[in-house]
Amino acid sequence: MAEERRQKQCSVILPTESMKAMAESVGVGQLQEESCVAISEEVSYRIKEIAQDALKFMHHGKRRKLTTSDIDNALKLKNVEPLYGFQSQEFIPFRFASGGGRELHFYEEREVDLSDIINTPLPRVPLDVSLKAHWLSIEGVQPAIPENPPPAPKEQQKAESTEPLKVAKPGQEEEAAIQGKSQGATAADGKGKEKGLIRLKPRSTHELSVEQQLYYKEITEACVGSCEAKRAEALQSIATDPGLYQMLPRFSTFISEGVRVNVVQNNLALLIYLMRMVKALMDNPTLYLEKYLHELIPAVVTCIVSKQLCLRPDVDNHWALRDFAARLMAQSCKTFSTTTNNIQSRITKTFTKSWLDDKTQWTTRYGCIAGLAELGPDVIKTLILPRLTVEGARIKAVMEGPVVSNIDKIGADHVQSLLLKHCASVIAKIRPQPDNVEQYRTDYGYLGPMLCSHVMKARTQAALQAQQVNRTTLTITQPRPTLSVSQSGLSGSTGPRTPSIIKVPSSLTLMSPRPGTPSQPSPPATKYIVMATSAGTATTQQVITLSSSQSASPVTSTVPSATSTLQPLVKLESGSGPGLTGSRPLQKYIVVSLPSSASSSLEILPCLVQLKTQGLFGLNVKG
Amino acid sequence: FRAVPDDGGLVDADEDKDIKTEASNDSWGNNNANDGRLLSPSPGSSASAGSNKSAAGASEEQQTLLAVLQFLRKNKLTESVEILRREAGLPEDSLEPKGADSLLSRVTASSTAGAQAPTKVAAGEDQPDVNVVLSAYSQQGDPALYEVYYSGLKRFIESVLDCHRAELSQVFYPLFVHMYLELVYNNHESEAKAFFEKFSGDQECYYEDDLRVLSSLTKKEHMRGNETLLDFRTSKFVLRISRDSYQLLKRHLQERQNNQIWNIIQEHLYIDIFDGMPRSKSQIDAMSGSLAGEAKREANKAKVYYGLLKEPEIELPLDDEDEEAENEEGKPKKKKPKKDSLGSKSKKQDPNAPSQNRIPLPELKDSDKLDKIMYMKEATKRIRLGPDNLPSICFYSFLNAYQGLTAVDFTDDSSLIAGGFADSTVRVWSVTPKKLRKVKSAADLNLIDKESDDVLERIMDEKTASESKILCGHSGPVYGISFSPDRNYLLSSSEDGTVRLWSLQTFTCLVGYKGHNYPVWDTQFSPHGYYFVSGGHDRVARLWATDHYQPLRMFSGHLADVTCTRFHPNSNYVATGSSDRTIRLWDVLNGNCVRIFTGHKGPIHALAFSPNGKFLASGATDGRVLLWDIGHGLMVGELKGHTDTIYSLRFSRDGEILASGSMDNTVRLWDATKAFDDLETDDFTAATGHIHLQDNSQELLLGTYMTKSTPVIHLHFTRRNLLLAAGAYNP
């Protein structure tokens, strides 16, 4: 292989066409083919030479990345004038275009509107170099602090939990043992056993340091305590701190025990807090939860399908908790389901089984459907759609039949809107137009007509969005009333928050056209992300600056610029009017509406926004 | 600057040295001339010299002379023909005078060709008549046969006994390179390319970098000015081969009449023949890898005084103060250092130590003595390190270092940190609560009462107190940085070719030392101050004294950039690491190279002497740390584990632990005591220089500490054996 590579090295030479093109550009036409070859060989050689020298500068600059300044320095070594104007650290600003048989390299120079530049606030000045000390090791032991890398990297955690044999490295032994057994020789059998014994992992004690114990105590107290600000901070810590690996077993037990106790006591608030902890743990990029799913999944499923989650089921919004937990479930299915553990199919079976049971209560029914629906359009298509007629009949019985109990009625109502919400978008995709109410009634029974209208709404929404995608401008000519309402509400209440944590003020309920029923989705296909950013650009620059400005944890994963990763369809900036913002002119809200096909992690948002209205959830938007 | 009492001698002595280096620089040109004398009519550069020599050559064989004449006439170089004819006393032929100048250039050109590759004078294939004659000198000139020769040798070596095979295989690489260069030089491009493609894969993987350079070189014109090639031509590639193996090779080549290869071996290789057992493959691999083969055995025979200098006698009247400062425990502690210091003093001069005044060293000032006392006090509180007692590591991260952190240094007492940056600045931080202050301006200084006790305090300007200071002055990235032992000065070396000396009293630049002209990769103060060493892209390491604007010594010999420089603890020697993958040890007294260590497979970026002066550790881009016994001139250990360039090495204060920091974002700790104990006693190894390296890196590795995407650029043990590390956070 090395040989092949070398041969390649040997033969890399610039194409002669380039030489011709360059010659033409300086006014030398009709260059002989031979001269072209000679020149290109010479040029290739010189370029390689310069690159080698530049590498030297890279090494001495203690970098892994070659920069344009290295090339400049290498040129200087050869007494060649450096190339001025290539100061870009990250990329070479060439673009390539071809067409009509012509090929062209050019500098991409965008037209910039001067007023844009004048109006944008100045970017933050990069911070000066500073020195910060931390303990990399204390008497040979590396402390688990944010400044140090996580003790066990996520890949390792994953490998440990999914392929324990590979980690212990006895893969071949295993085979040998099996072979020995198949031979039937007792001696070999004994050997195999011995090996099995040897392979038993010594029981590892999980000792937590005093600091870790203290941390655990603080965090768990804050998570279930009464102070919302503290909770937000604690959850933020769980979601970002790299040193939690050691404490993971504790957290998982805490959550599962907590759910068990609080379900019995019907303590809705605490259940929500615990689910938020699960979410934070799953968000932590350094943790791999596979080993603890046996505790976490039952807890989550409990929160989805439990008959009763709160003391007053007619008033309390336990539906939101079920939705939220269902999303968590879907997320863990997506992340951890493998062919060996079959999480997704096992979960699906559980949900379906209790849904099909006639005696199931409306609350559990709702949870099952939500759990299934969150698993994706395929599950909806194969499992939910066929049962729409049956379910419709059941709902009809409650709604139009004799009043049995108010609770049943509410339950049926919720199940109905849930079904409508999830099925409409799926049907819109699989069912050909036109949407005929009668046709729908025959296909889906009682829910048919309502489904029909929802599907039509979904279709128009999709069409509208398709149009918007084509539009390049970022301004919106005719803001919908909902948005304008939310805008004023937002700018009025910029709380004292760090930019990375979002506060969605209560006035945001107005976003939904029918404030009374939060679970009723507004236009079903549109979703809103509300982001708060500090003024200026949320670019990598900010990542760096944040790292030092937040002295507590210099390497927090900061607000990534959502504007760069997402394609914003509508962007609405609440102008920092002097009258509205007062002392915090830097806070800026961007409302982005996304097509319904946006990634699943974003789908959580509307739900959270609704929950937020009840003052239960703080949320943390990560790109 | 403080004056050095007796440095006149040193400065004078170096004039000779300068001349010497020049001579050696020139010598390659002369060699060429000599090599070429057989082959070409005028190897010299001037017309008269050329014809003289050609005449001399012609007298050897008349036929050749005739051929040359024919050649000259054909090229209408009548004057030369005439001169040649006259001098050789040959009968006159018909002549037509024309363009003598072009003749000159022509002949000179071909003569250099001969110098490079004697057998190749067949260069002028476009002159068929001459060709016949010239080919008499190089029957093997046929480029097509190169592959045959090479593969013939390859077959032979593959067929010899196992014990000889490894040794003889060493011949492959230099032969391959020289044959390829000859082909390229003589414009056999396609043959050269085919040759390269066919055999480059056989070469040892650690030559890959050089092969890459080689592969890009496909034209004769490229060879001009290519440093790698110059190195290859000027220096003989050194191989160590046992007598038996050598005889085998010789016999084979003679039998086969394989003069082509034999010539190359004679001309370009230096075969260091030893008696005894042939070496094994692993032994050879351990030592090979440098640009010019292994070191000759003689090169490492010189006596090196690696012992430490006697500590100066310091009465400890100040101990009374210490006692007060150190509560009840003061007494036992105080006794210890006295014992230690007395122990070292009372000991008769270490037989391996240089005499105290071998190199004139600056006299200790009062402040130095105070510092020594502080040092001893701290030393008593030093933690005894070992495999069971690892040091704590404190990591200093440079945040927001967009400019690129390129160099770091700590003062010996760990009170200051300096960082060199790619934006040409040098920044100094105080890591103690004591802030950095400038001395007051001259006008203000006049107002101070000079008699007062706290005059040293009074001269400082409180208004300037800050935690860090920026030193601006360089015009390119700062690659090397070093504090003076007394913490009054700071040295920085930069891409702009200068080394600058900064005052840490006024935070201004005092001197710019010019001489390197090319980027200066590293610089370091002598442990005794006053002297410093610098090394750079010009392949020369220079020794300077702070009060001389010209270097005192030039250490030249490396075949590529000098990448790092380090002073021996006794200040009598300087170690330099280079891109040619060798480490050289230089005697400061006479500028001689006293040790050449080969074995690294990549440019060397870190060096460290053990505190007792006996050993040297080196780290390179190949991610390995090699340990060397200076006295015996031997490799004594190899520490494998890092996966990227090692930029920093440091022994603990007592030498038990070696810490290494690397680009792979780790700090690793190694058991140095064990590494040196295991191998020290082998007499046979010492005598022959053939080492058996155990692969015990895993046992010696005591700890690996990952940083969070922060390459480790510098390491430093405090006087109490706390390990400080530094690097730029690089998200």
Side-chain angles (χ1 to χ4, degrees):
Chain A
M1 228 171 84
E3 199 171 351
E4 279 171 29
R5 204 170 58 235
R6 271 184 207 138
Q7 281 179 12
K8 266 182 206 158
Q9 283 167 6
C10 189
S11 60
V12 174
I13 281 179
L14 291 172
T16 51
E17 294 82 49
S18 311
M19 298 303 124
K20 273 203 183 121
M22 279 177 215
E24 275 171 27
S25 72
V26 294
V28 182
Q30 301 300 317
L31 206 60
Q32 297 282 315
E33 188 62 29
E34 271 177 43
S35 344
C36 272
V37 173
I39 291 176
S40 82
E41 276 176 5
E42 177 70 14
V43 168
S44 311
Y45 173 71
R46 295 297 165 199
I47 288 178
K48 283 176 192 170
E49 213 179 11
I50 287 167
Q52 272 157 16
D53 280 340
L55 273 181
K56 242 179 225 176
F57 283 95
M58 182 191 77
H59 275 301
H60 283 281
K62 277 118 182 159
R63 274 175 281 116
R64 278 203 197 83
K65 204 185 271 176
L66 193 75
T67 65
T68 47
S69 63
D70 291 332
I71 306 271
D72 283 351
N73 285 333
L75 287 170
K76 259 165 87 183
L77 269 193
K78 304 256 171 232
N79 272 328
V80 181
E81 189 87 347
L83 298 168
Y84 296 107
F86 287 87
Q87 294 305 325
S88 159
Q89 296 281 318
E90 292 299 326
F91 63 102
I92 305 293
F94 278 124
R95 291 289 174 274
F96 175 76
S98 62
R102 305 276 293 176
E103 291 180 341
L104 196 60
H105 291 272
F106 61 95
Y107 300 107
E108 184 161 349
E109 285 185 296
R110 286 207 192 85
E111 268 183 37
V112 183
D113 193 346
L114 206 56
S115 62
D116 280 358
I117 295 177
I118 296 167
N119 290 333
T120 39
L122 287 174
R124 205 182 289 182
V125 178
L127 293 179
D128 200 7
V129 190
S130 62
L131 204 56
K132 190 175 184 304
H134 72 267
W135 289 109
L136 184 67
S137 144
I138 296 170
E139 289 174 358
V141 181
Q142 190 162 25
I145 48 174
E147 284 87 349
N148 286 331
K154 198 169 178 181
E155 290 74 39
Q156 189 192 328
Q157 293 176 35
K158 184 173 180 178
E160 266 177 25
S161 51
T162 52
E163 290 164 292
L165 284 178
K166 258 192 193 161
V167 177
K169 231 168 75 180
Q172 288 132 352
E173 275 179 44
E174 181 87 340
E175 276 171 31
I178 290 166
Q179 277 173 3
K181 269 180 196 162
S182 65
Q183 281 165 5
T186 46
D189 216 340
K191 251 189 198 170
K193 263 182 201 163
E194 264 175 29
K195 272 178 188 166
L197 282 178
I198 291 164
R199 213 168 47 241
L200 273 181
K201 263 189 172 176
R203 177 179 294 191
S204 56
T205 48
H206 274 277
E207 273 179 31
L208 295 188
S209 66
V210 181
E211 294 86 1
Q212 282 173 324
Q213 288 172 23
L214 215 67
Y215 175 86
Y216 173 77
K217 188 167 157 272
E218 287 287 322
I219 286 283
T220 47
E221 275 173 11
C223 276
V224 297
S226 57
C227 175
E228 180 60 32
K230 255 193 180 174
R231 178 166 24 258
E233 227 169 90
L235 290 174
Q236 167 82 5
S237 172
I238 295 179
T240 53
D241 203 309
L244 297 185
Y245 175 60
Q246 291 283 329
M247 279 173 268
L248 203 46
R250 261 84 169 178
F251 277 127
S252 112
T253 315
F254 177 80
I255 290 167
S256 85
E257 289 295 311
V259 167
R260 224 165 53 177
V261 172
N262 288 299
V263 157
V264 176
Q265 293 179 352
N266 291 325
N267 193 340
L268 180 64
L270 275 179
L271 289 175
I272 291 176
Y273 299 151
L274 291 168
M275 285 303 106
R276 282 169 72 188
M277 272 182 86
V278 177
K279 169 96 174 89
L281 283 174
M282 285 175 79
D283 283 347
N284 191 321
T286 62
L287 296 178
Y288 193 74
L289 300 179
E290 222 257 7
K291 270 196 212 166
Y292 308 98
L293 289 181
H294 66 280
E295 286 187 319
L296 294 179
I297 285 189
V300 174
V301 172
T302 306
C303 287
I304 301 176
V305 298
S306 176
K307 266 186 274 184
Q308 199 178 352
L309 288 169
C310 49
L311 288 173
R312 296 167 300 163
D314 47 341
V315 187
D316 288 337
N317 189 355
H318 57 95
W319 313 105
L321 172 61
R322 292 177 199 276
D323 280 337
F324 183 65
R327 272 161 234 267
L328 277 181
M329 193 63 239
Q331 194 185 337
S332 48
C333 279
K334 232 167 243 154
T335 325
F336 303 111
S337 188
T338 60
T339 45
T340 37
N341 60 20
N342 275 328
I343 294 176
Q344 173 146 359
S345 66
R346 281 155 70 187
I347 289 293
T348 317
K349 252 180 231 160
T350 316
F351 284 146
T352 328
K353 203 177 141 206
S354 58
W355 185 27
L356 294 183
D357 191 346
D358 275 345
K359 286 172 207 139
T360 310
Q361 298 211 1
W362 283 108
T363 46
T364 310
R365 197 170 289 281
Y366 179 92
C368 292
I369 298 171
L372 285 173
E374 290 299 339
L375 290 174
D378 281 344
V379 180
I380 295 176
K381 197 169 130 190
T382 50
L383 290 175
I384 300 181
L385 290 191
R387 279 193 55 85
L388 273 181
T389 329
V390 186
E391 207 57 36
R394 203 192 300 275
I395 293 168
K396 188 181 175 189
V398 177
M399 302 292 262
E400 293 174 3
V403 179
V404 186
S405 79
N406 196 26
I407 291 177
D408 274 354
K409 194 154 183 174
I410 295 174
D413 190 37
H414 272 103
V415 169
Q416 178 184 326
S417 48
L418 180 77
L419 284 171
L420 291 178
K421 179 175 88 177
H422 285 296
C423 296
S425 58
V426 177
I427 293 176
K429 276 198 196 107
I430 58 170
R431 220 182 139 93
Q433 285 190 4
D435 301 314
N436 185 338
V437 178
E438 285 312 310
Q439 192 64 41
Y440 270 80
R441 192 191 295 281
T442 51
D443 283 355
Y444 302 114
Y446 171 72
L447 292 172
M450 276 178 281
L451 259 180
C452 182
S453 67
H454 270 87
V455 169
M456 285 199 288
K457 233 185 250 172
R459 286 197 210 276
T460 51
Q461 199 70 43
L464 201 94
Q465 273 168 10
Q467 277 176 3
Q468 278 168 358
V469 169
N470 294 334
R471 219 188 293 163
T472 46
T473 54
L474 287 174
T475 47
I476 167 169
T477 48
Q478 188 74 49
R480 274 164 282 172
T482 50
L483 280 172
S484 63
V485 168
S486 69
Q487 182 191 4
S488 61
L490 281 165
S491 46
S493 63
T494 40
R497 286 278 182 142
T498 56
S500 59
I501 298 174
I502 279 199
K503 177 165 182 176
V504 182
S506 55
S507 55
L508 203 67
T509 22
L510 293 172
M511 267 175 72
S512 157
R514 275 184 288 165
T517 55
S519 60
Q520 179 75 24
S522 48
T526 317
K527 275 146 193 177
Y528 297 101
I529 295 176
V530 184
M531 320 185 16
T533 58
S534 57
T537 50
T539 56
T540 44
Q541 285 262 309
Q542 199 187 356
V543 176
I544 298 160
T545 50
L546 264 173
S547 67
S548 58
S549 62
Q550 294 184 338
S551 56
S553 53
V555 279
T556 46
S557 66
T558 53
V559 196
S561 60
T563 44
S564 66
T565 50
L566 302 172
Q567 183 71 34
L569 303 175
V570 182
K571 193 164 146 192
L572 223 170
E573 299 175 13
S574 78
S576 54
L580 287 168
T581 46
S583 63
R584 291 181 52 83
L586 292 181
Q587 202 79 2
K588 185 182 359 173
Y589 288 94
I590 300 169
V591 180
V592 185
S593 84
L594 290 169
S596 56
S597 58
S599 64
S600 63
S601 66
L602 294 169
E603 287 173 20
I604 297 169
L605 288 163
C607 163
L608 293 184
V609 168
Q610 290 154 16
L611 288 165
K612 179 65 203 175
T613 62
Q614 293 156 20
L616 294 172
F617 280 66
L619 98 113
N620 219 334
V621 173
K622 302 181 75 186
Chain B
F1 300 105
R2 77 172 84 118
V4 168
D6 185 29
D7 71 324
L10 185 51
V11 177
D12 291 343
D14 78 280
E15 281 169 21
D16 298 351
K17 179 59 196 164
D18 283 356
I19 294 163
K20 205 169 163 187
T21 48
E22 272 171 39
S24 69
N25 283 342
D26 286 345
S27 69
W28 101 258
N30 298 338
N31 286 344
N32 280 352
N34 296 338
D35 290 345
R37 71 194 178 280
L38 290 174
L39 318 163
S40 67
S42 63
S45 51
S46 76
S48 59
S51 30
N52 281 340
K53 279 192 184 171
S54 68
S59 65
E60 290 180 20
E61 204 183 316
Q62 201 164 3
Q63 206 192 349
T64 315
L65 197 62
L66 283 171
V68 173
L69 272 174
Q70 218 175 337
F71 173 82
L72 292 175
R73 200 164 53 233
K74 190 176 168 86
N75 286 282
K76 323 257 188 246
L77 308 169
T78 44
E79 272 181 45
S80 306
V81 172
E82 225 165 339
I83 295 169
L84 181 59
R85 195 167 41 78
R86 213 182 307 131
E87 288 198 28
L90 291 169
E92 193 173 344
D93 285 350
S94 61
L95 302 165
E96 291 171 36
K98 248 186 209 174
D101 291 349
S102 67
L103 153 80
L104 270 186
S105 57
R106 198 94 185 216
V107 171
T108 336
S110 72
S111 75
T112 26
Q116 195 274 328
T119 51
K120 272 329 163 32
V121 178
E125 277 177 334
D126 46 337
Q127 287 99 33
D129 38 350
V130 193
N131 208 19
V132 184
V133 183
L134 290 184
S135 67
Y137 300 110
S138 55
Q139 308 96 315
Q140 293 87 4
D142 186 358
L145 288 178
Y146 271 57
E147 283 189 21
V148 180
Y149 294 139
Y150 190 86
S151 44
L153 185 70
K154 196 172 147 190
R155 231 175 294 122
F156 160 70
I157 291 180
E158 275 164 4
S159 66
V160 297
L161 289 175
D162 283 358
C163 61
H164 299 300
R165 193 185 302 150
E167 284 206 316
L168 293 179
S169 301
Q170 297 177 83
V171 179
F172 281 137
Y173 175 67
L175 263 187
F176 169 79
V177 175
H178 281 293
M179 290 172 93
Y180 176 74
L181 291 182
E182 283 185 17
L183 286 172
V184 170
Y185 192 86
N186 294 292
N187 294 323
H188 305 303
E189 258 177 71
S190 53
E191 284 91 347
K193 202 167 170 181
F195 183 76
F196 188 90
E197 285 178 9
K198 187 155 182 200
F199 299 114
S200 67
D202 300 345
Q203 309 305 327
E204 300 285 354
C205 54
Y206 39 79
Y207 291 119
E208 199 178 319
D209 283 346
D210 284 345
L211 287 176
R212 197 178 305 135
V213 176
L214 215 56
S215 71
S216 65
L217 185 143
T218 51
K219 288 228 183 271
K220 189 173 161 186
E221 293 78 39
H222 298 160
M223 297 173 81
R224 206 162 296 139
N226 186 313
E227 291 147 16
T228 319
L229 287 185
L230 274 177
D231 298 337
F232 228 94
R233 287 194 292 173
T234 53
S235 59
K236 287 192 168 186
F237 198 94
V238 182
L239 302 168
R240 273 192 220 174
I241 292 184
S242 70
R243 188 169 298 284
D244 293 351
S245 306
Y246 179 70
Q247 295 296 354
L248 263 176
L249 179 69
K250 199 170 163 187
R251 207 177 310 133
H252 166 77
L253 291 176
Q254 280 169 352
E255 272 170 19
R256 293 296 208 74
Q257 298 276 305
N258 203 339
N259 291 338
Q260 178 70 29
I261 286 177
W262 188 239
N263 274 336
I264 292 180
I265 289 179
Q266 299 265 302
E267 297 279 341
H268 296 293
L269 308 192
Y270 178 92
I271 297 189
D272 194 358
I273 301 164
F274 63 87
D275 293 306
M277 287 277 291
R279 293 186 299 168
S280 71
K281 172 93 175 122
S282 64
Q283 280 176 317
I284 292 168
D285 279 348
M287 300 296 287
S288 55
S290 105
L291 200 59
E294 295 179 46
K296 296 175 194 174
R297 268 175 306 163
E298 300 91 78
N300 289 338
K301 289 290 182 228
K303 165 94 175 145
V304 174
Y305 301 98
Y306 55 80
L308 299 185
L309 293 177
K310 249 192 327 182
E311 281 296 309
E313 309 264 346
I314 300 175
E315 301 80 40
L316 298 167
L318 289 136
D319 260 11
D320 310 336
E321 288 173 32
D322 307 344
E323 226 168 332
E324 286 163 33
E326 283 164 29
N327 24 30
E328 326 88 70
E329 283 180 282
K331 268 195 178 171
K333 271 185 182 168
K334 203 190 89 191
K335 272 187 183 170
K336 260 192 202 163
K338 270 203 167 165
K339 249 187 213 163
D340 284 355
S341 52
L342 283 176
S344 61
K345 276 177 216 160
S346 60
K347 216 188 280 170
K348 282 288 162 201
Q349 173 88 351
D350 180 350
N352 290 313
S355 64
Q356 205 68 16
N357 52 3
R358 188 167 180 267
I359 301 289
L361 291 172
E363 258 176 24
L364 286 182
K365 290 184 296 187
D366 285 350
S367 60
D368 296 331
K369 286 180 182 161
L370 267 173
D371 199 52
K372 281 256 187 286
I373 292 164
M374 279 300 291
Y375 175 80
M376 285 178 192
K377 266 169 66 184
E378 291 272 314
T380 59
K381 296 176 191 163
R382 186 180 292 163
I383 299 163
R384 188 109 196 128
L385 297 178
D388 306 320
N389 199 4
L390 294 176
S392 299
I393 308 172
C394 180
F395 202 98
Y396 284 92
S397 306
F398 287 76
L399 303 172
N400 309 315
Y402 320 102
Q403 307 93 327
L405 179 70
T406 42
V408 179
D409 196 31
F410 289 89
T411 53
D412 188 66
D413 68 350
S414 317
S415 62
L416 303 175
I417 298 183
F421 292 87
D423 68 353
S424 321
T425 59
V426 175
R427 287 157 197 259
V428 184
W429 281 267
S430 166
V431 291
T432 57
K434 201 178 153 195
K435 300 208 163 166
L436 301 173
R437 295 171 301 177
K438 284 185 192 174
V439 172
K440 284 179 183 162
S441 68
D444 291 338
L445 284 177
N446 269 334
L447 305 174
I448 292 174
D449 173 14
K450 283 152 194 91
E451 302 303 316
S452 73
D453 291 339
D454 59 344
V455 66
L456 286 177
E457 265 303 303
R458 290 190 180 199
I459 59 170
M460 307 311 280
D461 188 353
E462 276 307 321
K463 275 175 280 178
T464 58
S466 66
E467 271 177 20
S468 77
K469 293 263 185 252
I470 304 181
L471 308 174
C472 299
H474 281 295
S475 61
V478 178
Y479 290 120
I481 206 164
S482 174
F483 279 106
S484 72
D486 60 4
R487 298 187 294 286
N488 283 325
Y489 305 106
L490 177 70
L491 276 174
S492 62
S493 70
S494 158
E495 185 270 341
D496 62 13
T498 63
V499 178
R500 282 178 184 267
L501 183 77
W502 309 84
S503 162
L504 296 181
Q505 304 292 339
T506 59
F507 293 97
T508 51
C509 182
L510 301 174
V511 198
Y513 300 95
K514 293 174 186 169
H516 276 290
N517 286 331
Y518 287 106
V520 189
W521 298 130
D522 198 10
T523 185
Q524 204 217 358
F525 253 113
S526 138
H528 296 87
Y530 184 63
Y531 299 110
F532 66 91
V533 64
S534 66
H537 177 71
D538 59 1
R539 308 165 187 210
V540 177
R542 287 169 160 83
L543 180 85
W544 311 74
T546 46
D547 55 357
H548 286 69
Y549 67 92
Q550 282 180 322
L552 307 182
R553 296 283 181 275
M554 311 255 285
F555 305 119
S556 77
H558 276 298
L559 301 175
D561 303 30
V562 176
T563 50
C564 56
T565 55
R566 200 115 316 242
F567 256 101
H568 190 275
N570 67 19
S571 288
N572 278 258
Y573 297 92
V574 166
T576 56
S578 162
S579 299
D580 67 8
R581 307 187 285 272
T582 63
I583 298 150
R584 282 169 187 254
L585 192 70
W586 308 88
D587 191 336
V588 167
L589 181 66
N590 48 26
N592 288 337
C593 175
V594 289
R595 289 287 180 273
I596 303 175
F597 295 133
T598 62
H600 272 298
K601 320 289 188 230
I604 288 137
H605 277 276
L607 289 171
F609 281 98
S610 67
N612 61 11
K614 274 186 174 176
F615 302 104
L616 178 69
S618 60
T621 52
D622 58 8
R624 300 179 315 146
V625 177
L626 296 183
L627 304 173
W628 311 90
D629 181 329
I630 296 170
H632 297 109
L634 286 178
M635 187 194 295
V636 290
E638 179 188 19
L639 306 175
K640 284 188 264 189
H642 282 293
T643 55
D644 209 331
T645 310
I646 293 164
Y647 278 118
S648 181
L649 283 170
R650 198 53 79 101
F651 282 95
S652 67
R653 292 280 173 164
D654 296 321
E656 308 98 334
I657 300 274
L658 173 66
S660 58
S662 155
M663 197 71 192
D664 64 9
N665 302 343
T666 57
V667 175
R668 283 171 203 258
L669 301 178
W670 311 87
D671 189 342
T673 321
K674 197 172 168 199
F676 293 133
D677 278 354
D678 286 358
L679 284 148
E680 243 175 309
T681 47
D682 193 338
D683 288 339
F684 173 77
T685 309
T688 58
H690 303 160
I691 41 129
H692 298 270
L693 282 185
Q694 297 162 282
D695 191 11
N696 57 352
S697 299
Q698 283 313 310
E699 296 165 40
L700 297 176
L701 180 62
L702 299 178
T704 303
Y705 304 97
M706 282 284 288
T707 67
K708 200 158 168 181
S709 53
T710 310
V712 185
I713 289 181
H714 192 76
L715 293 168
H716 175 81
F717 275 97
T718 67
R719 288 170 175 178
R720 299 188 191 184
N721 264 342
L722 172 71
L723 180 57
L724 306 181
Y729 176 57
N730 207 354

